[in-house]
């Protein structure tokens, strides 16, 4: 977003007066409501970038320059007609509302794309298990997936059933430290300790992933944490299968 934020902000301020100036020669030939609709299109064009400040600036700028160029008295910020006042106010209100809707739409689109990414990761891991990929390759793949899904610094895998008193990411997606349930969405994952994600299958522990989130506050939501659990379960199933095929390895 940073690459185009500044041009969009500049455009949000300059586009409305430019459009109003272009409409000036024709202002005596059309109703101001039509001019307001043209400015709404300008606001929508700015709002689709998903930058709230730019959308609000475009709405305010449109209302101000609509007043200056297209309402009587012309070339003045005074408005004599109550209808023109209503149109200017409505233009600003509609512009802000359109901006909010556009931002909501972009957020929903981003969430849908993120969910598709999670699903793709789980499916890819499942396919690797089904095709008999080596446990080491699968663990490396899941380590990368966990790092991306949870937004953390890194992950390492430790084999065996030994468990510690470290914070733990549980099968239901909660994160606990001892008996205390941590509020991850509010406070983030612990930064002063590794977080255990147990790898198990059919009730048997096969190892654990140790999650590190030390350099920044990571706040994965419940959906992200459940995806992490599902990925760990895939590793548990693969290790169980490998042990069944090669019991003495």
């Amino acid at each position: 977003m940073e690459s185009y934020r500044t041009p969009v902000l500049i455009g949000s301020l300059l586009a409305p007066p430019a459009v109003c100036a272009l409409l000036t020669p024709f202002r005596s030939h059309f109703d101001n409501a039509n001019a307001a609709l043209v400015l709404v299109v300008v606001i929508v064009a700015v709002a689709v970038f998903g930058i709230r400040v730019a959308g609000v600036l475009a709405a305010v700028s449109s209302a101000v320059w609509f007043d200056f160029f297209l309402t009587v008295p012309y070339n003045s910020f005074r408005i004599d007609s109550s209808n023109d006042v209503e149109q200017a106010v409505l233009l600003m209100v509609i512009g802000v509302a359109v901006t909010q809707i556009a931002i909501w739409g972009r957020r929903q689109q981003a969430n849908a794309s993120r969910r598709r990414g999670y699903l793709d990761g789980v499916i890819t891991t499942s396919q690797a298990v089904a095709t008999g990929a080596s446990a080491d390759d699968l663990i490396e793949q899941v380590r990368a997936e966990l790092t991306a899904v949870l937004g953390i610094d890194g992950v390492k895998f430790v084999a065996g059933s030994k468990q510690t008193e470290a914070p733990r990411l549980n099968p239901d997606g909660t994160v606990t430290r001892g008996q205390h349930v941590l509020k991850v969405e509010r406070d983030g994952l612990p930064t002063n300790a590794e977080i255990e994600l147990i790898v198990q299958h059919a009730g048997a522990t096969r190892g654990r992933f140790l999650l590190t989130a030390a350099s920044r506050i990571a706040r994965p939501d419940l959906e992200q944490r459940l995806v992490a659990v599902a990925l760990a379960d895939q590793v548990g199933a693969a290790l169980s299968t490998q042990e069944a095929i090669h019991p003495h390895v």
Side-chain angles (χ1 to χ4, degrees):
M1 181 184 291
E2 292 300 326
S3 61
Y4 60 78
R5 182 180 177 86
T6 298
V8 171
L9 288 173
I10 293 173
S12 69
L13 290 173
L14 298 184
V19 170
C20 289
L22 289 174
L23 293 175
T24 297
F26 313 101
R27 61 193 174 190
S28 61
H29 301 292
F30 57 79
D31 189 270
N32 278 354
N34 294 327
L37 289 175
V38 173
L39 288 169
V40 168
V41 173
V42 174
I43 297 169
V44 170
V46 172
V48 295
F49 288 95
I51 303 174
R52 180 177 284 104
V53 174
V56 172
L57 287 176
V60 174
S61 180
S62 294
V64 168
W65 294 112
F66 172 81
D67 170 20
F68 185 83
F69 283 108
L70 302 175
T71 66
V72 178
Y74 297 129
N75 303 323
S76 167
F77 290 111
R78 193 176 85 247
I79 303 179
D80 290 341
S81 168
S82 60
N83 287 335
D84 288 340
V85 171
E86 291 176 1
Q87 288 174 354
V89 172
L90 281 174
L91 179 61
M92 186 165 59
V93 171
I94 291 172
V96 173
V98 165
T99 298
Q100 292 299 111
I101 293 170
I103 291 172
W104 178 84
R106 286 178 65 91
R107 186 177 295 122
Q108 294 300 110
Q109 183 180 34
N111 288 339
S113 178
R114 187 182 69 173
R115 291 188 181 99
R116 283 195 299 270
Y118 297 160
L119 181 60
D120 288 344
V122 174
I123 290 174
T124 300
T125 304
S126 298
Q127 290 173 339
V129 173
T131 56
S134 72
D136 288 342
D137 289 344
L138 183 61
I139 287 170
E140 286 303 308
Q141 179 180 329
V142 170
R143 284 180 62 244
E145 292 281 353
L146 289 173
T147 301
V149 166
L150 297 174
I152 56 179
D153 298 324
V155 179
K156 65 182 179 182
F157 177 76
V158 178
S161 59
K162 181 181 178 181
Q163 297 183 17
T164 69
E165 297 300 318
R168 181 172 301 165
L169 173 51
N170 301 297
D172 63 356
T174 60
V175 177
T176 54
R177 189 193 291 267
Q179 300 299 316
H180 180 60
V181 178
L182 304 181
K183 298 183 182 300
V184 177
E185 283 88 348
R186 186 190 68 185
D187 303 325
L189 294 171
T191 58
N192 58 353
E194 293 176 320
I195 302 119
E196 283 190 342
L197 172 55
I198 303 301
V199 175
Q200 55 188 356
H201 181 70
T205 299
R206 304 296 176 178
R208 63 192 189 278
F209 285 107
L210 299 179
L211 318 174
T212 302
S215 66
R216 61 185 182 277
I217 302 297
R219 296 184 176 87
D221 60 25
L222 179 60
E223 182 179 37
Q224 291 169 291
R225 302 196 300 269
L226 288 174
V227 169
V229 171
L231 289 167
D233 287 345
Q234 296 289 342
V235 173
L239 291 175
S240 296
T241 301
Q242 183 184 62
E243 182 178 315
I245 297 173
H246 305 289
H248 302 297
V249 176

